Amino acid sequence: MSVLEIKNLHATVETPEGTKEILKGVDLTIRSGETHAIMGPNGSGKSTLAYAIAGHPKYQITEGELTLDGEDVLEMSIDERARAGLFLAMQYPVEVPGVTVSNFLRTAKTAIDGEAPSLRTWVKDMKGSMDDLRMDPVFAERNVNEGFSGGEKKRHEILQMQLLKPAIAVLDETDSGLDVDALRIVSEGINRAKENTDIGIMLITHYTRILQHVTPDFVHVFVGGKVAEQGGPELAERLEAEGYDRYVVGAAG
């Protein structure tokens, strides 16, 4: 079982106006088999938390601890974090011209595992996962995310997660820009990955619509750079009905 533990995490970013603190003491623990929904208004620091976990150089960790199975993640390079079992599905996946999806995925799998997967097994697994996600086989030979629609990019993120089998996955607004059908397919992919690998999931979202398909074990309200409240799925329902106003007012006060 894997455990991602975040203790009193603070992070800053450089802006034209100077250094700005975004994360202001985040405490959160995610274990294998758990799904944690991180919900909050725009500008609350949710994506910064995702990038801080992944090691984005734009964000400077100034205080706190981030460990995976007791190992200090903050001392790891980005690729070391991936090999240790961390995965980030980005809100805005980037295009990688000249690199096909099939080459990208097999190279990533080889880097994480330390050896290349059997070609026959890999092709079978990749085809099966693409079928599950309703992805046309031709996507395997297209350049990574180049010319992909929003829904296709998000399905490709989930394809990566299914094939790379991380211990802990951070999904940064994977539901943004998805129509009803794509949302259902992506949600099914998340659920399938969890059932097959016992992955721990941090699901960052503004809305409850994805939570109608992916049932969280825990819901955390993220406001002002830290967790303002936490509870079960019923908390998401309350947020849908009431919004974030009372948390925002409290944070401002």
Side-chain angles (χ1 to χ4, degrees):
M1 180 172 112
S2 290
V3 181
L4 178 68
E5 195 162 10
I6 304 168
K7 293 182 179 179
N8 191 37
L9 195 68
H10 292 248
T12 61
V13 64
E14 294 300 322
T15 72
E17 292 75 36
T19 302
K20 182 178 181 181
E21 187 175 43
I22 307 294
L23 302 183
K24 302 178 181 180
V26 180
D27 292 292
L28 187 64
T29 301
I30 299 176
R31 297 176 176 83
S32 296
E34 296 178 348
T35 298
H36 293 248
I38 310 294
M39 304 185 69
N42 281 326
S44 58
K46 303 185 303 298
S47 290
T48 297
L49 176 60
Y51 289 136
I53 292 170
H56 196 299
K58 179 180 177 181
Y59 302 96
Q60 181 69 35
I61 306 300
T62 58
E63 188 177 346
E65 299 177 16
L66 176 62
T67 61
L68 178 64
D69 300 334
E71 297 293 321
D72 187 356
V73 173
L74 299 178
E75 291 296 320
M76 299 178 186
S77 61
I78 295 173
D79 58 309
E80 287 171 340
R81 297 181 196 207
R83 284 196 294 270
L86 293 176
F87 174 84
L88 171 64
M90 293 181 285
Q91 182 178 357
Y92 303 109
V94 297
E95 296 182 0
V96 187
V99 179
T100 65
V101 168
S102 60
N103 284 340
F104 168 74
L105 289 171
R106 193 161 190 260
T107 300
K109 183 67 171 175
T110 300
I112 288 172
D113 290 355
E115 60 180 1
S118 159
L119 190 57
R120 178 177 295 182
T121 302
W122 175 253
V123 169
K124 179 183 176 183
D125 289 347
M126 185 170 172
K127 182 180 184 305
S129 291
M130 291 182 72
D131 287 346
D132 289 338
L133 290 164
R134 318 289 199 277
M135 297 180 73
D136 190 313
V138 74
F139 276 95
E141 300 311 316
R142 289 179 61 181
N143 292 337
V144 174
N145 292 324
E146 196 171 44
F148 285 22
S149 69
E152 289 164 348
K153 288 180 179 179
K154 296 305 176 73
R155 277 187 256 186
H156 180 222
E157 296 285 285
I158 302 306
L159 176 65
Q160 294 174 46
M161 183 177 74
Q162 289 187 349
L163 292 172
L164 300 180
K165 296 180 172 59
I168 304 289
V170 179
L171 310 182
D172 186 15
E173 298 199 31
T174 298
D175 53 336
S176 66
L178 298 183
D179 61 26
V180 174
D181 290 332
L183 176 65
R184 177 179 51 79
I185 291 168
V186 163
S187 298
E188 289 172 353
I190 295 170
N191 290 331
R192 193 161 45 245
K194 186 176 177 183
E195 291 167 5
N196 293 340
T197 65
D198 201 34
I199 189 175
I201 295 173
M202 178 192 292
L203 180 61
I204 296 172
T205 183
H206 285 297
Y207 309 108
T208 59
R209 63 179 194 148
I210 193 171
L211 304 184
Q212 296 168 10
H213 303 280
V214 180
T215 303
D217 299 292
F218 305 94
V219 174
H220 308 269
V221 184
F222 205 81
V223 175
K226 57 186 176 182
V227 176
E229 187 176 355
Q230 51 193 7
E234 72 285 346
L235 179 53
E237 297 173 7
R238 197 175 82 204
L239 292 171
E240 178 75 5
E242 301 176 3
Y244 300 107
D245 282 355
R246 67 192 186 98
Y247 298 104
V248 174
V249 171

